[in-house]
Amino acid sequence: MSRSRDRSHSKVFARVRWLTRLLGMAASVLVVSLPLRAQEPEQQDRMAKLDAKTRAAVELLYDSAAAEGLPTQPLRSIALLGITRKADGRLIVAAVHRKLAALRTARGVLGRVDTLELDAASSVLIAGAKPNQLETFKNRPRGRSDLSAFIVWADLIGRGVPGEDASSAIARLWEDGADDATFQSLWNNVQSDILRGLNPGTALQNRIREAPGRPPTTKGPQTPEGQENERSE
């Protein structure tokens, strides 16, 4: 029984390590239950480093999110990241405001999803995706999470993959039923190719052909004009 529990824990930790590597400092949001309460005093201490005007503006945005039923932790993570980087107060407020707007838009498209998925979807929008590109993920089977798809999507755009290419690739994998391991494999391979000097868009196109699922649509052999009509008659 203990071995089964250990294997389950190992899978969880492996997943968290991968997501942490992808999201960097923003991955603190992934530690949802215990850490949020444990981190609140520390977050408040760090918020004290802001000047009064900036802190008031940021906290007003927190209140707006809470009033709308949106999660505030993604906003806090953005503010704390700005504080860590010693960003100008106006930039911190602008970044938090942008995150709030993206959370609103993502929920407007996806409906009620959990905090991690909503946070990841908003990051996709901030990276440059269009709101209507999220619609593929709106009606998903119960129990299926789009978290990995969103994280890889945002990261691909951040690495220089054209937005339309990233969107169509992730949507295709999702519609083909890709699991977390498939998205992780795509991310690992594309990242490796980019680090070797391959153009980001080309790297994605090459790797998406190797991904399991439907083969890419290709045109059949060309026929002389009118031949198809003759066959159908």
Side-chain angles (χ1 to χ4, degrees), residues 75-93:
L75 305 182
R76 296 179 189 277
S77 294
I78 293 293
L80 293 174
L81 181 59
I83 292 169
T84 299
R85 293 181 174 176
K86 298 180 180 179
D88 180 81
R90 290 170 297 180
L91 294 178
I92 293 175
V93 173

Side-chain angles (χ1 to χ4, degrees), residues 22-173:
L22 276 174
L23 290 179
M25 293 189 64
S28 59
V29 195
L30 297 175
V31 195
V32 203
S33 46
L34 263 171
L36 289 189
R37 293 195 183 95
Q39 289 171 6
E40 280 179 7
E42 180 184 351
Q43 289 180 355
Q44 291 301 322
D45 290 344
R46 293 172 66 188
M47 286 290 291
K49 296 179 180 180
L50 295 173
D51 63 84
K53 184 178 179 181
T54 299
R55 182 168 182 173
V58 168
E59 290 181 343
L60 186 61
L61 293 171
Y62 294 168
D63 292 342
S64 296
E68 296 175 38
L70 290 166
T72 60
Q73 184 59 30
L75 305 182
R76 296 179 189 277
S77 294
I78 293 293
L80 293 174
L81 181 59
I83 292 169
T84 299
R85 293 181 174 176
K86 298 180 180 179
D88 180 81
R90 290 170 297 180
L91 294 178
I92 293 175
V93 173
V96 174
H97 186 274
R98 187 182 185 193
K99 184 69 171 180
L100 176 57
L103 289 169
R104 285 172 177 151
T105 301
R107 189 175 68 178
V109 176
L110 299 174
R112 299 280 178 176
V113 295
D114 70 39
T115 297
L116 297 183
E117 290 175 284
L118 189 63
D119 185 15
S122 70
S123 295
V124 171
L125 295 175
I126 290 173
K130 300 171 185 175
N132 66 335
Q133 291 173 332
L134 294 176
E135 290 178 359
T136 300
F137 303 85
K138 184 175 182 179
N139 299 313
R140 62 189 185 281
R142 176 176 291 183
R144 190 180 182 197
S145 171
D146 44 26
L147 181 60
S148 293
F150 289 153
I151 291 173
V152 173
W153 186 358
D155 187 76
L156 290 174
I157 296 175
R159 291 180 184 275
V161 174
E164 290 295 331
D165 290 353
S167 173
S168 61
I170 296 299
R172 177 208 140 181
L173 287 180

Side-chain angles (χ1 to χ4, degrees), residues 137-217:
F137 303 85
K138 184 175 182 179
N139 299 313
R140 62 189 185 281
R142 176 176 291 183
R144 190 180 182 197
S145 171
D146 44 26
L147 181 60
S148 293
F150 289 153
I151 291 173
V152 173
W153 186 358
D155 187 76
L156 290 174
I157 296 175
R159 291 180 184 275
V161 174
E164 290 295 331
D165 290 353
S167 173
S168 61
I170 296 299
R172 177 208 140 181
L173 287 180
W174 176 261
E175 290 171 341
D176 285 346
D179 57 10
D180 289 350
T182 300
F183 285 111
Q184 180 179 355
S185 176
L186 175 69
W187 179 80
N188 284 332
N189 290 332
V190 172
Q191 176 192 223
S192 176
D193 290 345
I194 292 173
L195 290 175
R196 291 206 309 268
L198 199 61
N199 173 275
T202 302
L204 176 62
Q205 292 302 321
N206 289 345
R207 292 298 183 173
I208 201 67
R209 294 189 189 100
E210 303 171 359
R214 293 193 306 262
T217 302

